[in-house]
Amino acid sequence: MNVLKWAFNVVATRSFVVWEGERMIVPMGDFFNHGTEPEVTIDHDEDGNCVFYSASDIPAGYPLRIKYSGPSDPSALLAKYGFLDEQALGTFCKMMNMQTEMTDLGLTASNMLFYSNGEIAPEVYDCVLYSILGGSDPSLQQQFYDAYTSGDEETKQSFHNQYWEYTLQTIREHVDQTLQDLYALSVRA
């Protein structure tokens, strides 16, 4: 079983998508580290060969880095490679139990961010409050939805002020559970 895990991890972390989702292990290509502003980009030719090239002159001794994933999904770096890009502005809060609420409010995971400076995107608060209201009083949820979609910031803020304690508790529980899950996964790794 350990050999199977090793083989899977080699393919998962050392391969490149060349075209149409097809993955390829590229000798020497897996030596590149990640960089938010990479010196090297990856392409492929019509035969499916990976080609690495620099976009500009690179001084001798300077690192050669590629971008493992885009800044719109910094969580992918943690999930796949075990680190977060320190230059990323934030990471998705992964409130998977609120997909319906996100859809109702017209939000996607890219709106649901915990920023690296400790702040939380306003959309997270909106989504959590919308979920809380839906569980307690659907008519209040509808009022909040109407204020949200019409841009009535005064009414929306009034709801946030009234339910702040519950919103904060839900976010804390989410963060605590996520940290527990990450710890459990790290113990098994």
Short mmCIF file of all heavy atoms in Angstrom, two decimals, residues 145-178:
data_model
loop_
_atom_site.label_atom_id
_atom_site.label_comp_id
_atom_site.label_asym_id
_atom_site.label_seq_id
_atom_site.Cartn_x
_atom_site.Cartn_y
_atom_site.Cartn_z
N TYR A 145 -32.34 38.85 1.59
CA TYR A 145 -32.08 38.61 0.17
C TYR A 145 -32.48 39.83 -0.67
O TYR A 145 -31.73 40.26 -1.54
CB TYR A 145 -32.84 37.37 -0.30
CG TYR A 145 -32.70 37.10 -1.78
CD1 TYR A 145 -31.58 36.44 -2.27
CD2 TYR A 145 -33.69 37.51 -2.68
CE1 TYR A 145 -31.44 36.20 -3.63
CE2 TYR A 145 -33.56 37.27 -4.03
CZ TYR A 145 -32.43 36.62 -4.51
OH TYR A 145 -32.30 36.39 -5.85
N ASP A 146 -33.65 40.38 -0.38
CA ASP A 146 -34.11 41.55 -1.13
C ASP A 146 -33.15 42.72 -0.94
O ASP A 146 -32.82 43.42 -1.90
CB ASP A 146 -35.52 41.93 -0.69
CG ASP A 146 -36.57 40.90 -1.11
OD1 ASP A 146 -36.28 40.07 -2.00
OD2 ASP A 146 -37.67 40.91 -0.51
N ALA A 147 -32.70 42.94 0.29
CA ALA A 147 -31.75 44.03 0.56
C ALA A 147 -30.42 43.75 -0.14
O ALA A 147 -29.82 44.67 -0.73
CB ALA A 147 -31.53 44.17 2.07
N TYR A 148 -29.99 42.50 -0.12
CA TYR A 148 -28.72 42.12 -0.75
C TYR A 148 -28.76 42.36 -2.26
O TYR A 148 -27.87 42.97 -2.83
CB TYR A 148 -28.41 40.65 -0.45
CG TYR A 148 -27.13 40.14 -1.05
CD1 TYR A 148 -25.92 40.27 -0.36
CD2 TYR A 148 -27.11 39.53 -2.30
CE1 TYR A 148 -24.74 39.82 -0.91
CE2 TYR A 148 -25.92 39.08 -2.86
CZ TYR A 148 -24.75 39.22 -2.16
OH TYR A 148 -23.56 38.78 -2.70
N THR A 149 -29.82 41.87 -2.90
CA THR A 149 -29.90 41.96 -4.36
C THR A 149 -30.21 43.37 -4.87
O THR A 149 -29.85 43.71 -5.99
CB THR A 149 -30.94 40.97 -4.93
OG1 THR A 149 -32.21 41.23 -4.32
CG2 THR A 149 -30.51 39.53 -4.67
N SER A 150 -30.85 44.18 -4.03
CA SER A 150 -31.17 45.55 -4.46
C SER A 150 -30.08 46.55 -4.10
O SER A 150 -30.15 47.71 -4.49
CB SER A 150 -32.51 45.99 -3.84
OG SER A 150 -32.35 46.19 -2.44
N GLY A 151 -29.07 46.07 -3.34
CA GLY A 151 -27.99 46.98 -2.94
C GLY A 151 -28.36 47.88 -1.77
O GLY A 151 -27.73 48.91 -1.55
N ASP A 152 -29.37 47.48 -1.01
CA ASP A 152 -29.81 48.25 0.16
C ASP A 152 -28.86 47.97 1.32
O ASP A 152 -29.12 47.13 2.18
CB ASP A 152 -31.25 47.88 0.51
CG ASP A 152 -31.82 48.66 1.69
OD1 ASP A 152 -31.07 49.42 2.34
OD2 ASP A 152 -33.03 48.48 1.96
N GLU A 153 -27.75 48.68 1.34
CA GLU A 153 -26.70 48.44 2.34
C GLU A 153 -27.17 48.75 3.76
O GLU A 153 -26.74 48.08 4.71
CB GLU A 153 -25.44 49.26 2.01
CG GLU A 153 -24.71 48.80 0.77
CD GLU A 153 -24.16 47.38 0.90
OE1 GLU A 153 -23.66 47.01 1.98
OE2 GLU A 153 -24.22 46.65 -0.11
N GLU A 154 -28.04 49.72 3.91
CA GLU A 154 -28.52 50.09 5.25
C GLU A 154 -29.31 48.94 5.89
O GLU A 154 -29.06 48.57 7.04
CB GLU A 154 -29.38 51.35 5.17
CG GLU A 154 -29.80 51.87 6.53
CD GLU A 154 -30.60 53.17 6.42
OE1 GLU A 154 -30.35 53.96 5.48
OE2 GLU A 154 -31.45 53.39 7.29
N THR A 155 -30.23 48.37 5.15
CA THR A 155 -31.01 47.24 5.66
C THR A 155 -30.12 46.02 5.88
O THR A 155 -30.23 45.34 6.90
CB THR A 155 -32.17 46.90 4.70
OG1 THR A 155 -33.00 48.04 4.54
CG2 THR A 155 -32.98 45.72 5.20
N LYS A 156 -29.26 45.77 4.92
CA LYS A 156 -28.34 44.64 5.05
C LYS A 156 -27.48 44.78 6.30
O LYS A 156 -27.32 43.83 7.07
CB LYS A 156 -27.46 44.53 3.79
CG LYS A 156 -26.71 43.23 3.67
CD LYS A 156 -26.00 43.13 2.33
CE LYS A 156 -24.65 43.78 2.44
NZ LYS A 156 -23.72 43.38 1.38
N GLN A 157 -26.94 45.97 6.53
CA GLN A 157 -26.09 46.21 7.70
C GLN A 157 -26.89 46.07 9.00
O GLN A 157 -26.37 45.58 10.00
CB GLN A 157 -25.43 47.59 7.63
CG GLN A 157 -24.37 47.79 8.69
CD GLN A 157 -23.26 46.74 8.60
OE1 GLN A 157 -22.73 46.46 7.54
NE2 GLN A 157 -22.92 46.14 9.73
N SER A 158 -28.15 46.45 8.96
CA SER A 158 -29.01 46.29 10.13
C SER A 158 -29.15 44.82 10.50
O SER A 158 -29.08 44.45 11.69
CB SER A 158 -30.39 46.91 9.84
OG SER A 158 -31.27 46.66 10.91
N PHE A 159 -29.33 43.97 9.49
CA PHE A 159 -29.38 42.53 9.74
C PHE A 159 -28.05 42.04 10.32
O PHE A 159 -28.02 41.27 11.27
CB PHE A 159 -29.69 41.76 8.45
CG PHE A 159 -31.15 41.61 8.15
CD1 PHE A 159 -31.76 42.41 7.19
CD2 PHE A 159 -31.91 40.67 8.80
CE1 PHE A 159 -33.11 42.27 6.90
CE2 PHE A 159 -33.26 40.51 8.53
CZ PHE A 159 -33.86 41.32 7.56
N HIS A 160 -26.96 42.49 9.72
CA HIS A 160 -25.64 42.07 10.21
C HIS A 160 -25.45 42.49 11.66
O HIS A 160 -24.94 41.72 12.47
CB HIS A 160 -24.51 42.63 9.33
CG HIS A 160 -24.27 41.84 8.10
ND1 HIS A 160 -23.81 40.55 8.11
CD2 HIS A 160 -24.43 42.17 6.79
CE1 HIS A 160 -23.68 40.10 6.88
NE2 HIS A 160 -24.06 41.07 6.05
N ASN A 161 -25.83 43.69 12.01
CA ASN A 161 -25.69 44.16 13.39
C ASN A 161 -26.52 43.31 14.35
O ASN A 161 -26.05 42.96 15.43
CB ASN A 161 -26.09 45.63 13.51
CG ASN A 161 -25.13 46.56 12.80
OD1 ASN A 161 -24.00 46.19 12.49
ND2 ASN A 161 -25.59 47.77 12.51
N GLN A 162 -27.74 43.00 13.95
CA GLN A 162 -28.63 42.24 14.82
C GLN A 162 -28.18 40.79 15.01
O GLN A 162 -28.34 40.23 16.09
CB GLN A 162 -30.05 42.27 14.25
CG GLN A 162 -31.08 41.61 15.14
CD GLN A 162 -32.49 41.76 14.58
OE1 GLN A 162 -32.73 42.45 13.60
NE2 GLN A 162 -33.43 41.08 15.21
N TYR A 163 -27.60 40.20 13.99
CA TYR A 163 -27.24 38.78 14.05
C TYR A 163 -25.73 38.54 14.09
O TYR A 163 -25.27 37.42 13.84
CB TYR A 163 -27.86 38.05 12.85
CG TYR A 163 -29.36 37.99 12.93
CD1 TYR A 163 -30.15 38.96 12.31
CD2 TYR A 163 -29.99 36.97 13.64
CE1 TYR A 163 -31.53 38.92 12.41
CE2 TYR A 163 -31.37 36.92 13.73
CZ TYR A 163 -32.14 37.90 13.12
OH TYR A 163 -33.51 37.85 13.22
N TRP A 164 -24.96 39.56 14.39
CA TRP A 164 -23.51 39.46 14.38
C TRP A 164 -22.98 38.30 15.22
O TRP A 164 -22.12 37.54 14.80
CB TRP A 164 -22.89 40.79 14.84
CG TRP A 164 -21.41 40.69 15.02
CD1 TRP A 164 -20.72 40.78 16.19
CD2 TRP A 164 -20.42 40.47 14.00
NE1 TRP A 164 -19.37 40.62 15.97
CE2 TRP A 164 -19.17 40.42 14.62
CE3 TRP A 164 -20.50 40.29 12.62
CZ2 TRP A 164 -17.99 40.23 13.92
CZ3 TRP A 164 -19.33 40.08 11.93
CH2 TRP A 164 -18.09 40.06 12.57
N GLU A 165 -23.52 38.16 16.43
CA GLU A 165 -23.06 37.11 17.34
C GLU A 165 -23.20 35.72 16.71
O GLU A 165 -22.31 34.89 16.81
CB GLU A 165 -23.88 37.21 18.63
CG GLU A 165 -23.59 36.14 19.66
CD GLU A 165 -24.50 36.29 20.88
OE1 GLU A 165 -24.91 37.41 21.21
OE2 GLU A 165 -24.79 35.23 21.48
N TYR A 166 -24.30 35.48 16.04
CA TYR A 166 -24.56 34.16 15.43
C TYR A 166 -23.67 33.94 14.20
O TYR A 166 -23.19 32.84 13.96
CB TYR A 166 -26.04 34.03 15.05
CG TYR A 166 -26.95 34.28 16.22
CD1 TYR A 166 -27.66 35.47 16.33
CD2 TYR A 166 -27.08 33.33 17.24
CE1 TYR A 166 -28.49 35.70 17.42
CE2 TYR A 166 -27.91 33.56 18.32
CZ TYR A 166 -28.61 34.74 18.41
OH TYR A 166 -29.42 34.98 19.48
N THR A 167 -23.49 35.01 13.44
CA THR A 167 -22.62 34.92 12.26
C THR A 167 -21.19 34.60 12.69
O THR A 167 -20.55 33.71 12.14
CB THR A 167 -22.66 36.25 11.47
OG1 THR A 167 -24.01 36.53 11.10
CG2 THR A 167 -21.80 36.17 10.22
N LEU A 168 -20.70 35.32 13.67
CA LEU A 168 -19.34 35.11 14.16
C LEU A 168 -19.17 33.71 14.71
O LEU A 168 -18.17 33.03 14.44
CB LEU A 168 -19.00 36.16 15.23
CG LEU A 168 -17.57 36.17 15.73
CD1 LEU A 168 -16.59 36.41 14.59
CD2 LEU A 168 -17.41 37.24 16.81
N GLN A 169 -20.16 33.22 15.46
CA GLN A 169 -20.09 31.87 16.02
C GLN A 169 -20.02 30.83 14.90
O GLN A 169 -19.23 29.88 14.97
CB GLN A 169 -21.31 31.61 16.91
CG GLN A 169 -21.35 30.20 17.47
CD GLN A 169 -22.62 29.94 18.28
OE1 GLN A 169 -23.38 30.85 18.59
NE2 GLN A 169 -22.85 28.67 18.59
N THR A 170 -20.80 31.00 13.87
CA THR A 170 -20.80 30.04 12.75
C THR A 170 -19.45 30.04 12.03
O THR A 170 -18.92 28.98 11.70
CB THR A 170 -21.94 30.40 11.76
OG1 THR A 170 -23.18 30.34 12.45
CG2 THR A 170 -21.95 29.44 10.58
N ILE A 171 -18.88 31.22 11.82
CA ILE A 171 -17.58 31.29 11.16
C ILE A 171 -16.50 30.67 12.04
O ILE A 171 -15.65 29.91 11.55
CB ILE A 171 -17.24 32.75 10.78
CG1 ILE A 171 -18.18 33.21 9.66
CG2 ILE A 171 -15.78 32.87 10.33
CD1 ILE A 171 -18.07 34.68 9.32
N ARG A 172 -16.53 30.95 13.33
CA ARG A 172 -15.55 30.33 14.25
C ARG A 172 -15.65 28.81 14.23
O ARG A 172 -14.64 28.12 14.21
CB ARG A 172 -15.76 30.85 15.67
CG ARG A 172 -15.18 32.20 15.92
CD ARG A 172 -15.31 32.58 17.37
NE ARG A 172 -14.70 33.87 17.61
CZ ARG A 172 -15.12 34.75 18.48
NH1 ARG A 172 -16.18 34.49 19.23
NH2 ARG A 172 -14.50 35.91 18.62
N GLU A 173 -16.88 28.30 14.26
CA GLU A 173 -17.08 26.84 14.21
C GLU A 173 -16.52 26.26 12.92
O GLU A 173 -15.91 25.20 12.92
CB GLU A 173 -18.56 26.50 14.37
CG GLU A 173 -19.08 26.74 15.78
CD GLU A 173 -20.60 26.63 15.89
OE1 GLU A 173 -21.27 26.37 14.86
OE2 GLU A 173 -21.11 26.81 17.01
N HIS A 174 -16.73 26.98 11.82
CA HIS A 174 -16.21 26.52 10.53
C HIS A 174 -14.68 26.48 10.55
O HIS A 174 -14.07 25.48 10.14
CB HIS A 174 -16.68 27.44 9.40
CG HIS A 174 -15.96 27.22 8.12
ND1 HIS A 174 -16.14 26.09 7.34
CD2 HIS A 174 -15.01 27.96 7.49
CE1 HIS A 174 -15.35 26.16 6.29
NE2 HIS A 174 -14.65 27.28 6.35
N VAL A 175 -14.06 27.54 11.04
CA VAL A 175 -12.59 27.58 11.11
C VAL A 175 -12.06 26.50 12.03
O VAL A 175 -11.11 25.78 11.69
CB VAL A 175 -12.10 28.99 11.55
CG1 VAL A 175 -10.61 28.98 11.86
CG2 VAL A 175 -12.41 30.02 10.47
N ASP A 176 -12.67 26.34 13.21
CA ASP A 176 -12.23 25.31 14.15
C ASP A 176 -12.34 23.91 13.53
O ASP A 176 -11.43 23.09 13.65
CB ASP A 176 -13.04 25.37 15.44
CG ASP A 176 -12.71 26.58 16.30
OD1 ASP A 176 -11.67 27.23 16.05
OD2 ASP A 176 -13.50 26.88 17.22
N GLN A 177 -13.46 23.65 12.85
CA GLN A 177 -13.64 22.33 12.22
C GLN A 177 -12.62 22.11 11.10
O GLN A 177 -12.07 21.02 10.96
CB GLN A 177 -15.06 22.18 11.67
CG GLN A 177 -15.35 20.79 11.12
CD GLN A 177 -15.21 19.71 12.17
OE1 GLN A 177 -15.80 19.80 13.23
NE2 GLN A 177 -14.40 18.69 11.89
N THR A 178 -12.36 23.14 10.31
CA THR A 178 -11.38 23.03 9.24
C THR A 178 -10.00 22.72 9.81
O THR A 178 -9.28 21.86 9.30
CB THR A 178 -11.33 24.32 8.40
OG1 THR A 178 -12.63 24.54 7.82
CG2 THR A 178 -10.29 24.24 7.30
#
